Amino acid sequence: MATAPEIKFTQIFINNEFVNSIGGKTFPTINPTNGEKICDIQEGDKADIDVAVKAARDAFKPGSAWRSMDASARGRLINKLADLIQRDHEYIARLETLDNGKPLVNAMGDIQFVMDTLRYYAGYADKIHGKTIPVDGNFFTYTRHEPIGVCGMITPWNFPLLTAVVKLAPALCCGCTMVNKPAEQTPLTILYTASLIKEAGFPPGVVNIVPGYGPTAGGALSEHMDVDLITFTGSTEVGRIIQQASGTSNLKRVCLELGGKSPNIIFSDVDMDYAVDNAHKGVFFNMGQVCVAGTRLFVQEDIYDEFVKKSVEKAKKRTIGDPYDPAMESGPQIDQDQFDKILELIESGKKEGAKLECGGSRKGDKGYFIESTVFSDVQDNMRIAKEEIFGPVQQIMKFKTLEEVIERANNTSYGLAAAVFTKDIDKAIAVSNALQAGTVWVNCYGEAKPQCPHGGFKMSGIGREFGEYALQEYTEIKTVTIKIPHKC
C-alpha cells in the first residue's frame, strides 16, 4: 500500500476553532483496507452539540457578519472554498481513500464533484429572490426567500465529503448556518475541510463539525429545539427516527435521502455489451455502497442467458485490492458490520434458491474485501431482491413484457432511482413515466450532476438535493403586504 497521508485534524470544529470534546471521550476511525486504527477522533455528544448549535445560532443572529453579508460576497466565499479544495485535492482524495477504502481514482472523482457543486451554488447566491404579486385591492405584496436558520446535517460514510458538501453548499448559498455530524466511520475529510472553511474567511459559527455516534450526537442534533432543519442521508430506518424526533421536538423541517432498491430494466433490443457494462457499473461502483445502486436487474427473457453469461464474465474480471493501486477497480467494504451484513444476505440468496454464478465469499484474509458476486434465477420474494444489500452483489431477474416489468419494478417500498435500457424511444418514455422513482436514467446509469435534483419517492426520502430545487429546503418564504393609497 502507498504511504498514508498525514492526519492533521481530529478535533471538534466549533466557532472556527478545533477543540476537544467536553466529556473528554474519543473514538477510533478504522482503515477498512486492513481493519487497523488510523487515529482517535474527539467524540462529541449532547453537550458538544449544544455548544455547536449555540455557535450556529449566534452566527445567524440579525446584524451578524454572516447575516449582513452581501449575497454576492457569500458566493465569493463559496468559490474561495472550492479554490482551496482544488489546491489540496490530491491530499483530500488520499485521505478519503484511507478512511473510506474507495479506490483513489474514485475519490478523486468525488472531490471533483465537490468542487463542481460548490461552484454551482456559489453562482446561485445572489439569484435567490421572491416575487411581486398583483393582489386584489390597494395593496403592494411581495415575497422574500429567507434562510431557514440553523441546519443540522447528518451525513453518511459512503461518499463522506461529497454528501456533506451537497448539503453545505446550498445551505451556505441561502445564508444558513449549520452543524454537521459526520459518520463516525469517516470523519477525516470533513474535518480537514473545516480548516479550509476557516481559511476561506467564513465567519465563526457558520459551519460547525461535531464527530460522534448517531444515537448520541446525531440524536441530540435531531431533537434540538434550536435547530430549524435536519437534513440526513442514510438508511430508511434511521430516517424514521429523525422524523419522529422532529415531531416530538420543535417540528423542525426534515430533508431525508434514504435507502433504495433500484430497478434497472434491460429490454432485448439493447446493445448487449453496452448494457452489461452499465449494469455492472450500476451495482459494483463504490463496492456497491451506493443508495441508487441498480440491484434489481430485470432482463428480458430472450436475452437473459447471454446477459447473465456476460455479466458473470465481467464480474470475475473486476479487480479488487489496495485502493491506492490504480489497477484496482474495487476496495473494501466500510467496516465489519457492513461486511457481515453483506455475507449474511449472500447466504440468504443461496438458501432461498437463487443461483450463485460467481463470488459470494470474502476476498483475502485482511480488511473487509468481498468478491464481486452475481446471482441469477432470482425471484422477487427473495431477501436479496427486496432488501438493500449495499455491497457488491448483482441480482439478475427475468421478465417477459413491458406491463409485467413495470408492475414488478414498482412493487417495492423504495423509490429512489431506476433505469431503462432500450433503443425504442416510445418504450423508454412510457417506462420512465410509469416508474415510481425520483430519478430515472435512460440508456445510462448513475449519472448524477450538481444541476439535477435528486431525491426519492415513497420510503426513499423527503425533499430534494442538488440543483435549484435544493434551495427550497434551506429557505422560508415570507409574504409581505403593504397598504397603499391607490394602485398606479
Side-chain angles (χ1 to χ4, degrees):
M1 176 181 285
T3 304
E6 176 188 0
I7 309 303
K8 299 180 180 180
F9 300 100
T10 62
Q11 294 173 288
I12 294 168
F13 183 76
I14 298 175
N15 262 333
N16 278 5
E17 299 296 334
F18 286 97
V19 297
N20 288 337
S21 62
I22 293 172
K25 295 184 291 185
T26 63
F27 66 91
T29 184
I30 304 299
N31 182 346
T33 302
N34 54 27
E36 298 174 1
K37 183 173 78 171
I38 301 170
C39 63
D40 288 315
I41 303 294
Q42 290 292 315
E43 180 187 339
D45 56 21
K46 183 180 185 303
D48 304 281
I49 290 292
D50 287 344
V51 174
V53 171
K54 184 180 185 305
R57 179 59 63 189
D58 288 345
F60 191 71
K61 286 181 178 178
S64 68
W66 182 241
R67 289 297 300 276
S68 58
M69 185 180 294
D70 287 342
S72 60
R74 289 203 307 269
R76 288 192 292 273
L77 281 180
I78 299 170
N79 264 323
K80 177 63 174 176
L81 177 58
D83 291 342
L84 294 174
I85 290 174
Q86 185 164 17
R87 180 195 70 189
D88 297 345
H89 73 278
E90 290 187 13
Y91 169 79
I92 298 171
R94 294 180 66 80
L95 192 63
E96 196 80 294
T97 290
L98 175 68
D99 211 16
N100 170 274
K102 66 176 61 193
L104 181 59
V105 64
N106 292 351
M108 293 287 281
D110 287 1
I111 306 310
Q112 182 61 56
F113 198 102
V114 163
M115 294 185 288
D116 292 345
T117 300
L118 286 166
R119 298 197 191 285
Y120 174 81
Y121 285 109
Y124 247 116
D126 59 357
K127 300 170 186 66
I128 302 169
H129 50 77
K131 302 177 180 180
T132 58
I133 303 173
V135 298
D136 295 345
N138 291 329
F139 302 97
F140 173 64
T141 297
Y142 64 92
T143 57
R144 288 168 49 88
H145 291 205
E146 299 184 355
I148 193 170
V150 176
C151 303
M153 302 177 174
I154 303 175
T155 46
W157 46 258
N158 56 335
F159 295 93
L161 185 59
L162 191 158
T163 50
V165 167
V166 162
K167 302 174 188 303
L168 179 146
L172 292 174
C173 169
C174 293
C176 299
T177 60
M178 62 216 67
V179 177
N180 172 229
K181 203 296 285 184
E184 61 269 21
Q185 296 92 339
T186 53
L188 294 180
T189 50
I190 188 61
L191 288 175
Y192 181 78
T193 302
S195 73
L196 303 184
I197 287 168
K198 180 177 180 179
E199 183 180 349
F202 285 90
V206 172
V207 179
N208 307 274
I209 313 294
V210 182
Y213 291 102
T216 51
L221 194 57
S222 300
E223 296 165 359
H224 207 289
M225 294 296 292
D226 209 20
V227 170
D228 302 298
L229 162 73
I230 285 286
T231 173
F232 167 76
T233 297
S235 70
T236 298
E237 177 186 9
V238 175
R240 287 175 180 268
I241 295 171
I242 289 171
Q243 193 164 24
Q244 289 168 357
S246 169
T248 58
S249 57
N250 61 340
L251 287 177
K252 60 179 66 66
R253 186 183 297 176
V254 294
C255 179
L256 306 174
E257 199 266 82
L258 305 176
K261 192 70 178 174
S262 300
N264 185 5
I265 300 169
I266 314 292
F267 285 96
S268 58
D269 62 349
V270 296
D271 178 316
M272 176 72 74
D273 290 338
Y274 178 81
V276 167
D277 183 58
N278 276 269
H280 177 89
K281 293 175 183 175
V283 171
F284 294 104
F285 176 70
N286 206 46
M287 294 72 71
Q289 298 170 148
V290 184
C291 55
V292 296
T295 52
R296 289 192 300 143
L297 182 56
F298 294 96
V299 179
Q300 203 155 24
E301 61 179 359
D302 46 345
I303 62 167
Y304 183 84
D305 290 342
E306 183 182 1
F307 195 97
V308 169
K309 178 184 176 182
K310 287 180 175 288
S311 296
V312 171
E313 291 171 354
K314 193 163 187 66
K316 287 180 176 179
K317 292 177 182 177
R318 189 172 184 88
T319 54
I320 305 169
D322 178 2
Y324 288 108
D325 182 344
M328 295 298 110
E329 298 172 277
S330 285
Q333 310 308 130
I334 187 64
D335 62 13
Q336 187 71 53
D337 288 346
Q338 189 65 20
F339 177 86
D340 292 341
K341 174 191 171 185
I342 294 165
L343 291 179
E344 190 274 326
L345 279 164
I346 289 172
E347 286 302 309
S348 80
K350 292 190 286 186
K351 290 177 181 177
E352 291 182 343
K355 182 179 179 182
L356 179 64
E357 296 281 355
C358 66
S361 301
R362 176 176 193 156
K363 183 173 178 63
D365 57 4
K366 183 182 288 187
Y368 309 121
F369 295 91
I370 293 178
E371 296 173 334
S372 300
T373 300
V374 178
F375 280 103
S376 64
D377 297 336
V378 178
Q379 304 303 312
D380 293 6
N381 62 348
M382 294 178 179
R383 286 182 62 201
I384 58 172
K386 296 189 297 182
E387 298 181 26
E388 187 176 32
I389 300 175
F390 231 60
V393 185
Q394 185 177 53
Q395 296 79 235
I396 310 180
M397 297 173 278
K398 186 186 298 184
F399 77 92
K400 292 183 179 180
T401 67
L402 181 150
E403 294 76 15
E404 170 208 341
V405 77
I406 289 173
E407 181 177 356
R408 291 171 65 191
N410 287 334
N411 186 24
T412 174
S413 60
Y414 295 115
L416 192 57
V420 55
F421 284 78
T422 177
K423 293 180 180 178
D424 184 337
I425 189 62
D426 292 334
K427 190 183 296 180
I429 293 172
V431 174
S432 299
N433 290 347
L435 290 172
Q436 296 167 1
T439 294
V440 179
W441 292 291
V442 177
N443 295 331
C444 58
Y445 204 96
E447 293 297 330
K449 308 295 180 184
Q451 302 89 348
C452 299
H454 170 72
F457 286 19
K458 298 188 280 189
M459 289 176 64
S460 285
I462 300 169
R464 291 296 179 268
E465 294 184 320
F466 300 117
E468 182 181 6
Y469 289 89
L471 301 176
Q472 298 174 12
E473 309 299 332
Y474 299 95
T475 53
E476 292 279 20
I477 298 175
K478 177 183 287 182
T479 302
V480 179
T481 297
I482 302 171
K483 183 71 172 70
I484 56 176
H486 55 82
K487 289 183 178 178
C488 294

